[in-house]
Amino acid sequence: MDVMSCGRMENRILSYMDGRLKDSERLEVEKHLAPSPAFDVRVRARVAAEPVKQSWWAWIAPSPRVAMAGALLALCIVWVGLRPSGYAVNPATEAEINQNLPVLENYDVLTNFEPLTDLPAPVTDEPQDDANQANQQM
């Protein structure tokens, strides 16, 4: 008895479907495709060896990282939701802010005196000797 090879039959399956095989080859393919108890046992063993498909929610149970991330996300949402929406300013404070507004507008000028570093050194009327001039520069 000739052993049937799935690889060999795989090459003939298209010809079988198209009806281009000789009768003897057609019978051989049909015999190969017929159910076999040995083949059934191998298929069932392979299916039993496959891991059981878990439910969609099963990925949460073994992962404490996901649970921790979810808890932190919920905490952040609650924290943002309970924060006051804005700070109320009473009219007296608002008037004081409006009164000091010109000073605040010139804040950049007051904090940055960089243009003053480009000014030349002051000119004095008294002539200085070289030793005094060197000491003053240090």
Side-chain angles (χ1 to χ4, degrees), residues 4 6 9 16 26-40 42:
M4 293 184 223
C6 290
M9 292 301 149
Y16 172 76
R26 183 180 54 80
L27 289 173
E28 188 180 353
V29 171
E30 286 175 356
K31 184 179 174 187
H32 180 77
L33 294 175
S36 159
F39 181 75
D40 285 347
R42 286 189 311 203

Side-chain angles (χ1 to χ4, degrees), residues 30-129:
E30 286 175 356
K31 184 179 174 187
H32 180 77
L33 294 175
S36 159
F39 181 75
D40 285 347
V41 169
R42 286 189 311 203
V43 168
R44 289 182 195 279
R46 245 181 148 173
V47 168
E50 288 288 322
V52 177
K53 191 167 187 158
Q54 298 177 348
S55 71
W56 191 80
W57 292 99
W59 60 273
I60 292 177
S63 178
R65 291 183 192 130
V66 174
M68 184 65 165
L72 287 175
L73 180 64
L75 181 68
C76 288
I77 289 171
V78 168
W79 179 68
V80 168
L82 294 178
R83 260 187 359 178
S85 61
Y87 297 101
V89 178
N90 61 17
T93 307
E94 188 174 348
E96 186 179 342
I97 291 172
N98 289 337
Q99 185 181 10
N100 294 329
L101 194 58
V103 174
L104 292 175
E105 288 175 348
N106 293 328
Y107 182 73
D108 289 338
V109 175
L110 295 173
T111 58
N112 186 5
F113 287 107
E114 191 174 295
L116 297 177
T117 59
D118 295 337
L119 293 175
V123 179
T124 59
D125 294 335
E126 300 175 13
Q128 295 179 354
D129 61 337

